[in-house]
RNA sequence: GGCGGUGUAGCCAAGUGGUAAGGCGGAGGUCUGCAAAACCUCUAUUCGCCGGUUCGAAUCCGGCCGCCGCCUCCA
């Protein structure tokens, strides 16, 4: 069974057949760098990160291009507000964006073209469109003539006559032949950034940059074009019209993929409602994997309701997964000296089968249009099995235990990795391996300190001085260290 | 008005013809000095409502109701 993806333009799931065998070319609309990105933007970027990771997990060689819109009305306006130049503003928020993505553990795209670095490429396309009659100049602006592209509306499933004619800004309306025509080039007003063009100084319209840059780096008829669902119309519809009108007969994109919207407390995020939540704000309270877990829990095309409660739930479920990995590593650490032998008892061969079968099921779900929510279900079933086995293995150390545990660890980490979980930070919140064995000549390590503390606490427990032992445990918890007492002594881990 | 989506337990959420995954929360139990972690059992005879097709429907068809998004910048 191969990968299937839902293609917006056909409104169906289709077999993913890449243009070039074994390779995927994908483009996704990146940020307009005029502000910190919000949690809704983050969802889209995280979804495409999930998609990209899974494609690579499946063996594809992925070339991922994501643009940076660094010239646009919003940037100009915002720069005015902040009293800096548009260039400075774009630079500032591009840095913030990169920091956010880095913190979230998003794999950086292979190419991140900036609009301002590709004006020449855009002008070339615009000139071509004007020459072929698909676009026209009007008072220093250049518009795409929608009536010249018969396929207009196919992507978004719109019939233009049936659209509500909404109020558009007056000047533009006067210059357009048809209300649905859109700007390829806008003449600049005094004080705005501009580039020279055959139609005078101006700047590119928004849609043209994606058409020009995607084709420049990926060629025509590339595999996947993505973005948020709200970009289907007009942005992607327009991109498609331009690109296909520019190279007649050629298809622009093979598969259109759109990420579902995120709502806050069941409402759309909007300035007027004042409920815009930046990714930064959420990151101040929750670690990146909690946010990722929240996103993975809903299929990428479904609407996702974001709330404090949903974050709390996601955190708890992430912890369940983390605890399992922790317990696994902890037991393996204690089994360190023992040899790896073949599984002997039925229970063990059964579990190894279960673990390997889990990977098959996981892939089946992910192959079905990246159903991460269903795939997570498989992971959690696996967690329950592994946890149960850990308890058994603690009791009777059978020779095959180590093999089972190692195999469980391998698969569990593999599946988490495919989803992008636990990839952002060097340590999985205090896993034994993460803080083990780093000896310093000068300062004692946390490990060494904890060993001493736990030993002292153990003495207190042995003489039933629970007041002292509990004081140590409570005190450490306040410092972010969780103590757990088990049948083989106490262990600790860093709380996030 | 047009287009699209969606309605599954207290909450979140998979499931598109074969008899309701998973997570959170809740109840009880096991283990434990107590915690924590973990395990076990229970927590939707039923999938917005009404009809229809079918041996069989949450899944297909028709109608109705609710919610959301897009149609203007928007991930």
């Amino acid at each position: 069974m191969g990968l299937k993806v839902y293609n917006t333009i056909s409104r169906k799931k289709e077999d993913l057949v890449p243009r070039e065998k074994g390779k995927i070319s994908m483009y996704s609309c990146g940020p307009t760098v005029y502000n910190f990105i919000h949690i809704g933007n983050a969802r889209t970027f995280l979804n495409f990160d999930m998609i990209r990771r899974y494609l690579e997990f499946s063996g594809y060689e992925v070339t991922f291009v994501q643009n940076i819109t660094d010239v646009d009305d919003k940037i100009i306006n915002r720069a005015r507000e902040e009293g800096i130049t548009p260039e400075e503003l774009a630079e500032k928020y591009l840095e913030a964006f990169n920091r956010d993505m880095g913190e979230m553990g998003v794999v950086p795209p292979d190419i991140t073209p900036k609009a301002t670095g590709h004006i020449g490429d855009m002008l070339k396309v615009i000139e071509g469109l004007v020459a072929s009659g698909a676009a026209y100049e009007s008072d220093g602006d250049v518009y795409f003539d929608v009536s010249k592209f018969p396929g207009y509306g196919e992507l978004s499933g719109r019939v233009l006559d049936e659209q509500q004619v909404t109020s558009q800004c007056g000047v533009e309306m006067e210059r357009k032949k048809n209300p649905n025509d859109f700007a390829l080039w806008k003449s600049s007003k005094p004080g705005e950034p501009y580039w020279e063009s055959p139609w005078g100084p101006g700047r590119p319209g928004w849609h043209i940059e994606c058409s020009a840059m995607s084709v420049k780096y990926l060629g025509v008829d590339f595999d996947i074009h993505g973005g948020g669902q709200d970009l289907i119309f007009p942005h992607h519809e327009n991109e498609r019209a331009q690109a296909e009108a520019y190279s007649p007969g050629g298809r622009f994109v093979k598969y259109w993929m759109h990420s579902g919207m995120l709502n806050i407390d069941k409402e759309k995020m909007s300035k007027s409602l004042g409920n815009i939540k930046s990714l930064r704000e959420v990151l101040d309270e929750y670690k990146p994997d909690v946010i990722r877990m929240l996103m993975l829990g809903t299929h990428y095309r479904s609407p996702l309701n974001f709330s404090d409660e949903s974050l709390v739930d996601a955190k708890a479920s992430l912890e369940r997964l983390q605890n399992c990995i922790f317990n696994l590593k902890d037991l393996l650490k204690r089994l360190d000296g023992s040899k790896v032998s073949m599984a002997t008892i039925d229970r063990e061969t059964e579990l190894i089968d279960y673990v390997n079968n889990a990977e098959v099921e996981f892939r089946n779900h992910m192959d079905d249009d990246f159903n991460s929510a269903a795939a997570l279900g498989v992971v959690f079933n696996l967690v329950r099995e592994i946890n149960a086995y850990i308890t058994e293995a603690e009791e009777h150390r059978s020779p095959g235990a180590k093999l089972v545990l190692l195999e469980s660890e391998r698969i569990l980490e593999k599946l988490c990795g495919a989803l992008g979980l636990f990839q952002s930070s060097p340590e999985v919140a205090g896993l034994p391996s993460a803080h083990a064995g780093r000896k310093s000549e000068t300062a004692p390590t946390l490990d060494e300190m904890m060993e001493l503390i736990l030993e002292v606490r153990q003495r207190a427990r042995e003489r039933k001085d629970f007041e002292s032992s509990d004081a140590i445990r409570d005190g450490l918890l306040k410092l972010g260290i969780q103590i757990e007492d088990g049948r083989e002594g106490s262990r600790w881990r860093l709380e996030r």
Side-chain angles (χ1 to χ4, degrees):
Chain A
M1 172 180 165
L3 247 162
K4 282 189 185 331
V5 302
Y6 181 88
N7 193 347
T8 304
I9 199 163
S10 67
R11 277 156 271 259
K12 282 199 284 277
K13 282 182 198 168
E14 299 177 12
D15 290 322
L16 181 68
V17 183
R19 178 176 60 180
E20 202 177 333
K21 194 167 186 293
K23 295 185 178 177
I24 296 283
S25 44
M26 73 187 257
Y27 182 94
S28 165
C29 292
T32 300
V33 284
Y34 73 107
N35 204 341
F36 296 109
I37 63 161
H38 61 242
I39 191 71
N41 296 318
R43 182 185 185 202
T44 298
F45 296 130
L46 247 10
N47 277 155
F48 283 100
D49 184 58
M50 179 270 288
I51 288 167
R52 183 242 175 97
R53 282 176 188 274
Y54 187 70
L55 288 170
E56 289 182 341
F57 181 79
S58 301
Y60 289 106
E61 190 186 309
V62 177
T63 304
F64 181 37
V65 180
Q66 187 176 59
N67 68 303
I68 305 292
T69 302
D70 59 350
V71 54
D72 138 297
D73 289 339
K74 292 194 291 289
I75 292 174
I76 294 167
N77 294 337
R78 178 83 191 207
R80 209 164 279 150
E81 283 169 30
E82 294 198 15
I84 54 180
T85 68
E87 293 77 24
E88 287 167 339
L89 184 101
E91 189 53 36
K92 172 181 167 183
Y93 288 111
L94 175 56
E95 264 174 42
F97 173 72
N98 287 332
R99 200 167 59 235
D100 283 349
M101 290 296 100
E103 208 168 316
M104 286 308 302
V106 169
V107 181
D110 301 294
I111 305 169
T112 51
K114 288 183 184 177
T116 52
H118 296 75
I119 304 292
D121 298 297
M122 295 183 229
L123 284 171
K124 200 177 129 205
V125 177
I126 299 171
E127 286 179 67
L129 289 169
V130 171
S132 72
Y136 56 90
E137 190 267 339
S138 176
D139 209 7
D141 291 352
V142 179
Y143 293 96
F144 184 88
D145 187 342
V146 166
S147 67
K148 297 283 165 57
F149 184 69
Y152 197 78
E154 280 174 358
L155 175 63
S156 56
R158 275 158 220 264
V159 181
L160 294 179
D161 299 344
E162 289 165 355
Q163 295 300 301
Q164 226 169 32
V165 181
T166 46
S167 55
Q168 295 193 23
C169 88
V171 186
E172 277 212 338
M173 275 304 273
E174 284 166 29
R175 293 179 183 171
K176 289 181 186 179
K177 287 188 194 167
N178 178 310
N180 288 296
D181 292 348
F182 55 89
L184 297 171
W185 188 260
K186 298 175 173 185
S187 58
S188 57
K189 300 187 194 84
E192 289 180 353
Y194 68 90
W195 287 263
E196 289 302 337
S197 83
W199 315 281
R203 58 198 160 88
W206 175 38
H207 314 299
I208 194 67
E209 69 173 85
C210 290
S211 304
M213 297 193 293
S214 60
V215 171
K216 170 168 184 172
Y217 293 105
L218 298 172
V220 287
D221 198 26
F222 62 90
D223 296 312
I224 295 174
H225 188 130
Q229 268 168 5
D230 53 350
L231 297 185
I232 296 172
F233 190 91
H235 186 232
H236 288 165
E237 191 72 71
N238 293 352
E239 269 186 52
R240 175 172 180 265
Q242 295 160 349
E244 297 195 354
Y246 181 66
S247 47
R251 180 172 52 179
F252 174 42
V253 168
K254 205 162 181 185
Y255 305 97
W256 291 91
M257 297 185 71
H258 291 98
S259 169
M261 295 290 99
L262 177 146
N263 299 319
I264 290 197
D265 295 324
K266 309 236 156 120
E267 281 178 314
K268 184 195 172 177
M269 249 192 289
S270 74
K271 273 182 198 152
S272 53
L273 285 165
N275 61 353
I276 292 181
K277 192 118 182 161
S278 72
L279 174 59
R280 304 253 92 203
E281 279 176 84
V282 183
L283 276 171
D284 284 343
E285 269 191 85
Y286 294 90
K287 47 181 218 170
D289 278 325
V290 172
I291 300 171
R292 193 179 279 268
M293 181 62 109
L294 174 65
M295 305 302 183
L296 290 170
T298 301
H299 182 87
Y300 80 89
R301 281 189 287 115
S302 300
L304 169 67
N305 186 46
F306 181 92
S307 65
D308 287 334
E309 200 192 350
S310 65
L311 275 168
V312 170
D313 286 359
K315 180 167 188 267
S317 65
L318 178 75
E319 276 167 10
R320 179 169 165 77
L321 188 50
Q322 255 177 345
N323 286 338
C324 179
I325 297 176
F326 177 80
N327 289 147
L328 208 44
K329 286 191 186 294
D330 180 63
L331 181 54
L332 275 167
K333 192 177 163 198
R334 283 182 282 130
L335 257 41
D336 209 18
S338 67
K339 276 193 200 148
V340 177
S341 337
M342 291 307 291
T344 46
I345 56 177
D346 287 351
R347 171 67 177 136
E348 287 164 351
T349 50
E350 197 183 291
L351 199 75
I352 287 181
D353 283 348
Y354 187 95
V355 167
N356 285 288
N357 189 50
E359 180 177 346
V360 174
E361 283 183 40
F362 177 92
R363 286 177 185 272
N364 286 342
H365 285 302
M366 289 300 284
D367 280 353
D368 183 16
D369 195 27
F370 308 95
N371 193 338
S372 59
L376 268 181
V378 174
V379 172
F380 279 106
N381 281 328
L382 182 58
V383 164
R384 196 195 313 107
E385 287 301 314
I386 293 173
N387 278 334
Y389 181 73
I390 288 172
T391 310
E392 292 164 33
E394 295 265 10
E395 281 170 26
H396 34 267
R397 296 280 167 82
S398 79
K402 195 164 182 181
L403 178 69
V404 176
L405 294 168
L406 283 171
E407 185 66 356
S408 301
E409 182 192 35
R410 184 179 73 84
I411 299 291
L412 196 55
E413 292 193 328
K414 187 176 174 186
L415 301 188
C416 288
L419 294 172
L421 287 169
F422 311 131
Q423 307 297 306
S424 52
S425 52
E427 58 178 32
V428 181
L431 289 180
S433 62
H435 49 73
R438 214 192 304 144
K439 298 265 181 266
S440 162
E441 298 302 315
T442 51
T445 65
L446 190 54
D447 268 342
E448 291 163 335
M449 300 283 288
M450 286 307 299
E451 198 178 325
L452 176 64
I453 291 167
L454 289 181
E455 193 188 316
V456 172
R457 179 167 173 272
Q458 187 53 34
R459 287 190 197 164
R461 295 180 72 211
E462 274 160 14
R463 59 171 189 270
K464 307 266 187 240
D465 177 9
F466 296 123
E467 197 182 321
S468 299
S469 68
D470 289 352
I472 292 170
R473 186 171 62 195
D474 294 346
L476 285 170
L477 188 59
K478 278 181 191 148
L479 298 175
I481 295 172
Q482 168 88 48
I483 299 299
E484 296 179 346
D485 299 323
R487 60 178 70 214
E488 284 180 41
S490 306
R491 63 187 189 184
W492 63 279
R493 75 181 124 157
L494 292 171
E495 283 286 292
R496 48 256 118 211

